[in-house]
PDB file of all heavy atoms in Angstrom:
ATOM      1  N   ALA T  51      -0.956  52.534 -44.897  1.00 98.00           N
ATOM      2  CA  ALA T  51      -1.511  53.632 -44.009  1.00 98.00           C
ATOM      3  C   ALA T  51      -2.239  54.705 -44.858  1.00 98.00           C
ATOM      4  O   ALA T  51      -3.358  55.153 -44.472  1.00 98.00           O
ATOM      5  CB  ALA T  51      -0.364  54.190 -43.181  1.00 98.00           C
ATOM      6  N   HIS T  54      -5.524  53.292 -46.031  1.00 98.00           N
ATOM      7  CA  HIS T  54      -6.491  53.240 -45.048  1.00 98.00           C
ATOM      8  C   HIS T  54      -6.856  54.596 -44.388  1.00 98.00           C
ATOM      9  O   HIS T  54      -7.716  54.748 -43.588  1.00 98.00           O
ATOM     10  CB  HIS T  54      -5.951  52.329 -43.861  1.00 98.00           C
ATOM     11  CG  HIS T  54      -6.111  50.800 -44.193  1.00 98.00           C
ATOM     12  ND1 HIS T  54      -6.791  49.952 -43.575  1.00 98.00           N
ATOM     13  CD2 HIS T  54      -5.399  50.143 -45.233  1.00 98.00           C
ATOM     14  CE1 HIS T  54      -6.589  48.749 -44.038  1.00 98.00           C
ATOM     15  NE2 HIS T  54      -5.829  48.860 -45.126  1.00 98.00           N
ATOM     16  N   ASN T  55      -6.089  55.680 -44.904  1.00 98.00           N
ATOM     17  CA  ASN T  55      -6.110  56.957 -44.171  1.00 98.00           C
ATOM     18  C   ASN T  55      -6.042  56.788 -42.723  1.00 98.00           C
ATOM     19  O   ASN T  55      -6.883  57.325 -41.891  1.00 98.00           O
ATOM     20  CB  ASN T  55      -7.452  57.599 -44.570  1.00 98.00           C
ATOM     21  CG  ASN T  55      -7.363  59.126 -43.989  1.00 98.00           C
ATOM     22  OD1 ASN T  55      -6.298  59.712 -43.961  1.00 98.00           O
ATOM     23  ND2 ASN T  55      -8.539  59.672 -43.730  1.00 98.00           N
ATOM     24  N   HIS T  56      -5.154  56.039 -42.305  1.00 98.00           N
ATOM     25  CA  HIS T  56      -4.915  55.738 -40.761  1.00 98.00           C
ATOM     26  C   HIS T  56      -3.385  55.438 -40.693  1.00 98.00           C
ATOM     27  O   HIS T  56      -2.873  54.717 -41.357  1.00 98.00           O
ATOM     28  CB  HIS T  56      -5.644  54.517 -40.352  1.00 98.00           C
ATOM     29  CG  HIS T  56      -5.954  54.421 -38.959  1.00 98.00           C
ATOM     30  ND1 HIS T  56      -6.608  55.414 -38.325  1.00 98.00           N
ATOM     31  CD2 HIS T  56      -5.555  53.487 -38.044  1.00 98.00           C
ATOM     32  CE1 HIS T  56      -6.656  55.125 -37.031  1.00 98.00           C
ATOM     33  NE2 HIS T  56      -6.030  53.937 -36.821  1.00 98.00           N
ATOM     34  N   HIS T  57      -2.811  56.224 -39.611  1.00 98.00           N
ATOM     35  CA  HIS T  57      -1.254  56.268 -39.617  1.00 98.00           C
ATOM     36  C   HIS T  57      -0.798  55.817 -38.227  1.00 98.00           C
ATOM     37  O   HIS T  57      -1.231  56.213 -37.276  1.00 98.00           O
ATOM     38  CB  HIS T  57      -0.993  57.750 -39.986  1.00 98.00           C
ATOM     39  CG  HIS T  57      -1.416  58.207 -41.250  1.00 98.00           C
ATOM     40  ND1 HIS T  57      -2.821  58.741 -41.491  1.00 98.00           N
ATOM     41  CD2 HIS T  57      -0.913  58.062 -42.494  1.00 98.00           C
ATOM     42  CE1 HIS T  57      -2.869  58.977 -42.710  1.00 98.00           C
ATOM     43  NE2 HIS T  57      -1.796  58.579 -43.401  1.00 98.00           N
ATOM     44  N   PRO T  58       0.347  54.923 -38.378  1.00 98.00           N
ATOM     45  CA  PRO T  58       0.866  54.458 -37.141  1.00 98.00           C
ATOM     46  C   PRO T  58       1.758  55.503 -36.381  1.00 98.00           C
ATOM     47  O   PRO T  58       2.285  56.368 -36.976  1.00 98.00           O
ATOM     48  CB  PRO T  58       1.727  53.267 -37.661  1.00 98.00           C
ATOM     49  CG  PRO T  58       2.084  53.684 -39.046  1.00 98.00           C
ATOM     50  CD  PRO T  58       0.926  54.541 -39.539  1.00 98.00           C
ATOM     51  N   GLU T  59       1.843  55.322 -35.040  1.00 98.00           N
ATOM     52  CA  GLU T  59       2.954  55.845 -34.366  1.00 98.00           C
ATOM     53  C   GLU T  59       4.007  54.850 -34.404  1.00 98.00           C
ATOM     54  O   GLU T  59       3.649  53.640 -34.152  1.00 98.00           O
ATOM     55  CB  GLU T  59       2.566  56.161 -32.917  1.00 98.00           C
ATOM     56  CG  GLU T  59       1.599  57.297 -32.721  1.00 98.00           C
ATOM     57  CD  GLU T  59       1.191  57.623 -31.290  1.00 98.00           C
ATOM     58  OE1 GLU T  59       2.055  57.484 -30.508  1.00 98.00           O
ATOM     59  OE2 GLU T  59      -0.025  57.927 -31.061  1.00 98.00           O
ATOM     60  N   PHE T  70       2.683  51.259 -32.999  1.00 98.00           N
ATOM     61  CA  PHE T  70       1.656  51.558 -32.007  1.00 98.00           C
ATOM     62  C   PHE T  70       0.437  52.168 -32.833  1.00 98.00           C
ATOM     63  O   PHE T  70       0.558  53.023 -33.618  1.00 98.00           O
ATOM     64  CB  PHE T  70       2.093  52.529 -30.965  1.00 98.00           C
ATOM     65  CG  PHE T  70       0.960  52.882 -29.952  1.00 98.00           C
ATOM     66  CD1 PHE T  70       0.510  52.068 -28.956  1.00 98.00           C
ATOM     67  CD2 PHE T  70       0.214  54.114 -30.061  1.00 98.00           C
ATOM     68  CE1 PHE T  70      -0.569  52.337 -28.148  1.00 98.00           C
ATOM     69  CE2 PHE T  70      -0.762  54.438 -29.303  1.00 98.00           C
ATOM     70  CZ  PHE T  70      -1.192  53.549 -28.300  1.00 98.00           C
ATOM     71  N   LEU T  71      -0.687  51.554 -32.604  1.00 98.00           N
ATOM     72  CA  LEU T  71      -1.905  51.956 -33.282  1.00 98.00           C
ATOM     73  C   LEU T  71      -2.972  52.356 -32.294  1.00 98.00           C
ATOM     74  O   LEU T  71      -3.315  51.649 -31.322  1.00 98.00           O
ATOM     75  CB  LEU T  71      -2.526  50.961 -34.246  1.00 98.00           C
ATOM     76  CG  LEU T  71      -1.679  50.493 -35.371  1.00 98.00           C
ATOM     77  CD1 LEU T  71      -2.312  49.268 -36.072  1.00 98.00           C
ATOM     78  CD2 LEU T  71      -1.411  51.681 -36.339  1.00 98.00           C
ATOM     79  N   THR T  72      -3.613  53.605 -32.434  1.00 98.00           N
ATOM     80  CA  THR T  72      -4.637  54.010 -31.744  1.00 98.00           C
ATOM     81  C   THR T  72      -5.464  54.996 -32.681  1.00 98.00           C
ATOM     82  O   THR T  72      -4.821  55.413 -33.688  1.00 98.00           O
ATOM     83  CB  THR T  72      -4.402  54.726 -30.460  1.00 98.00           C
ATOM     84  OG1 THR T  72      -5.666  54.978 -29.713  1.00 98.00           O
ATOM     85  CG2 THR T  72      -3.648  56.064 -30.660  1.00 98.00           C
ATOM     86  N   THR T  73      -6.667  55.368 -32.346  1.00 98.00           N
ATOM     87  CA  THR T  73      -7.391  56.314 -33.310  1.00 98.00           C
ATOM     88  C   THR T  73      -7.408  57.615 -32.542  1.00 98.00           C
ATOM     89  O   THR T  73      -8.235  57.810 -31.590  1.00 98.00           O
ATOM     90  CB  THR T  73      -8.756  55.843 -33.571  1.00 98.00           C
ATOM     91  OG1 THR T  73      -8.630  54.568 -34.252  1.00 98.00           O
ATOM     92  CG2 THR T  73      -9.516  56.767 -34.584  1.00 98.00           C
ATOM     93  N   HIS T  74      -6.557  58.554 -32.881  1.00 96.00           N
ATOM     94  CA  HIS T  74      -6.474  59.859 -32.205  1.00 96.00           C
ATOM     95  C   HIS T  74      -7.793  60.556 -32.216  1.00 96.00           C
ATOM     96  O   HIS T  74      -8.231  61.126 -31.188  1.00 96.00           O
ATOM     97  CB  HIS T  74      -5.351  60.660 -32.812  1.00 96.00           C
ATOM     98  CG  HIS T  74      -4.038  59.958 -32.757  1.00 96.00           C
ATOM     99  ND1 HIS T  74      -3.616  59.189 -33.990  1.00 96.00           N
ATOM    100  CD2 HIS T  74      -3.127  59.723 -31.863  1.00 96.00           C
ATOM    101  CE1 HIS T  74      -2.475  58.705 -33.655  1.00 96.00           C
ATOM    102  NE2 HIS T  74      -2.074  58.901 -32.373  1.00 96.00           N
ATOM    103  N   ASP T  75      -8.462  60.540 -33.335  1.00 96.00           N
ATOM    104  CA  ASP T  75      -9.782  61.205 -33.459  1.00 96.00           C
ATOM    105  C   ASP T  75     -10.858  60.744 -32.559  1.00 96.00           C
ATOM    106  O   ASP T  75     -11.724  61.502 -32.161  1.00 96.00           O
ATOM    107  CB  ASP T  75     -10.377  61.142 -34.902  1.00 96.00           C
ATOM    108  CG  ASP T  75      -9.420  61.671 -36.017  1.00 96.00           C
ATOM    109  OD1 ASP T  75      -8.596  62.523 -35.665  1.00 96.00           O
ATOM    110  OD2 ASP T  75      -9.622  61.378 -37.149  1.00 96.00           O
ATOM    111  N   GLU T  76     -10.689  59.525 -31.952  1.00 96.00           N
ATOM    112  CA  GLU T  76     -11.695  58.937 -31.097  1.00 96.00           C
ATOM    113  C   GLU T  76     -11.110  58.751 -29.768  1.00 96.00           C
ATOM    114  O   GLU T  76     -11.819  58.289 -28.796  1.00 96.00           O
ATOM    115  CB  GLU T  76     -12.158  57.512 -31.713  1.00 96.00           C
ATOM    116  CG  GLU T  76     -12.796  57.384 -33.004  1.00 96.00           C
ATOM    117  CD  GLU T  76     -14.102  58.084 -32.977  1.00 96.00           C
ATOM    118  OE1 GLU T  76     -14.806  58.281 -31.913  1.00 96.00           O
ATOM    119  OE2 GLU T  76     -14.623  58.491 -34.093  1.00 96.00           O
ATOM    120  N   GLY T  77      -9.882  58.952 -29.492  1.00 94.00           N
ATOM    121  CA  GLY T  77      -9.213  58.836 -28.191  1.00 94.00           C
ATOM    122  C   GLY T  77      -9.217  57.368 -27.758  1.00 94.00           C
ATOM    123  O   GLY T  77      -9.331  57.133 -26.630  1.00 94.00           O
ATOM    124  N   GLY T  78      -9.043  56.520 -28.632  1.00 96.00           N
ATOM    125  CA  GLY T  78      -8.900  55.079 -28.348  1.00 96.00           C
ATOM    126  C   GLY T  78      -8.958  54.132 -29.506  1.00 96.00           C
ATOM    127  O   GLY T  78      -8.887  54.583 -30.660  1.00 96.00           O
ATOM    128  N   LYS T  82     -10.732  51.012 -37.220  1.00 98.00           N
ATOM    129  CA  LYS T  82      -9.660  51.478 -38.111  1.00 98.00           C
ATOM    130  C   LYS T  82      -8.255  50.802 -37.677  1.00 98.00           C
ATOM    131  O   LYS T  82      -7.461  50.334 -38.489  1.00 98.00           O
ATOM    132  CB  LYS T  82      -9.402  52.958 -38.158  1.00 98.00           C
ATOM    133  CG  LYS T  82     -10.453  53.582 -38.905  1.00 98.00           C
ATOM    134  CD  LYS T  82     -10.164  55.043 -39.140  1.00 98.00           C
ATOM    135  CE  LYS T  82     -11.048  55.628 -40.250  1.00 98.00           C
ATOM    136  NZ  LYS T  82     -10.466  56.855 -40.826  1.00 98.00           N
ATOM    137  N   ASP T  83      -8.004  50.703 -36.363  1.00 98.00           N
ATOM    138  CA  ASP T  83      -6.840  50.128 -35.798  1.00 98.00           C
ATOM    139  C   ASP T  83      -6.778  48.626 -36.157  1.00 98.00           C
ATOM    140  O   ASP T  83      -5.773  48.062 -36.504  1.00 98.00           O
ATOM    141  CB  ASP T  83      -6.634  50.445 -34.376  1.00 98.00           C
ATOM    142  CG  ASP T  83      -6.718  51.844 -34.023  1.00 98.00           C
ATOM    143  OD1 ASP T  83      -5.809  52.578 -34.620  1.00 98.00           O
ATOM    144  OD2 ASP T  83      -7.658  52.374 -33.417  1.00 98.00           O
ATOM    145  N   LEU T  86      -6.212  48.084 -40.050  1.00 98.00           N
ATOM    146  CA  LEU T  86      -4.770  48.353 -40.395  1.00 98.00           C
ATOM    147  C   LEU T  86      -3.799  47.303 -39.803  1.00 98.00           C
ATOM    148  O   LEU T  86      -2.953  46.820 -40.501  1.00 98.00           O
ATOM    149  CB  LEU T  86      -4.289  49.761 -39.967  1.00 98.00           C
ATOM    150  CG  LEU T  86      -2.869  50.114 -40.405  1.00 98.00           C
ATOM    151  CD1 LEU T  86      -2.725  50.011 -41.868  1.00 98.00           C
ATOM    152  CD2 LEU T  86      -2.498  51.495 -39.872  1.00 98.00           C
TER     153      LEU T  86
HETATM  154  C1  H2B Z   1      -8.024  64.080 -41.325  1.00 59.83           C
HETATM  155  C2  H2B Z   1      -7.508  62.719 -41.249  1.00 59.83           C
HETATM  156  O1  H2B Z   1      -8.418  61.867 -41.869  1.00 59.83           O
HETATM  157  C3  H2B Z   1      -7.475  62.222 -39.774  1.00 59.83           C
HETATM  158  O2  H2B Z   1      -6.710  63.168 -39.093  1.00 59.83           O
HETATM  159  C4  H2B Z   1      -6.875  60.813 -39.622  1.00 59.83           C
HETATM  160  C5  H2B Z   1      -5.564  60.453 -40.376  1.00 59.83           C
HETATM  161  N1  H2B Z   1      -4.821  59.425 -39.736  1.00 59.83           N
HETATM  162  C6  H2B Z   1      -5.132  59.013 -38.478  1.00 59.83           C
HETATM  163  N2  H2B Z   1      -4.334  58.060 -37.956  1.00 59.83           N
HETATM  164  C7  H2B Z   1      -4.602  57.618 -36.688  1.00 59.83           C
HETATM  165  N3  H2B Z   1      -3.871  56.737 -36.173  1.00 59.83           N
HETATM  166  N4  H2B Z   1      -5.570  58.195 -35.883  1.00 59.83           N
HETATM  167  C8  H2B Z   1      -6.321  59.138 -36.424  1.00 59.83           C
HETATM  168  O3  H2B Z   1      -7.192  59.625 -35.663  1.00 59.83           O
HETATM  169  C9  H2B Z   1      -6.106  59.595 -37.778  1.00 59.83           C
HETATM  170  N5  H2B Z   1      -6.834  60.522 -38.289  1.00 59.83           N
END
Side-chain angles (χ1 to χ4, degrees):
H54 286 241
N55 189 29
H56 200 60
H57 302 84
E59 295 182 30
F70 173 79
L71 296 174
T72 189
T73 302
H74 304 94
D75 296 341
E76 298 291 342
K82 286 192 162 198
D83 302 299
L86 183 57

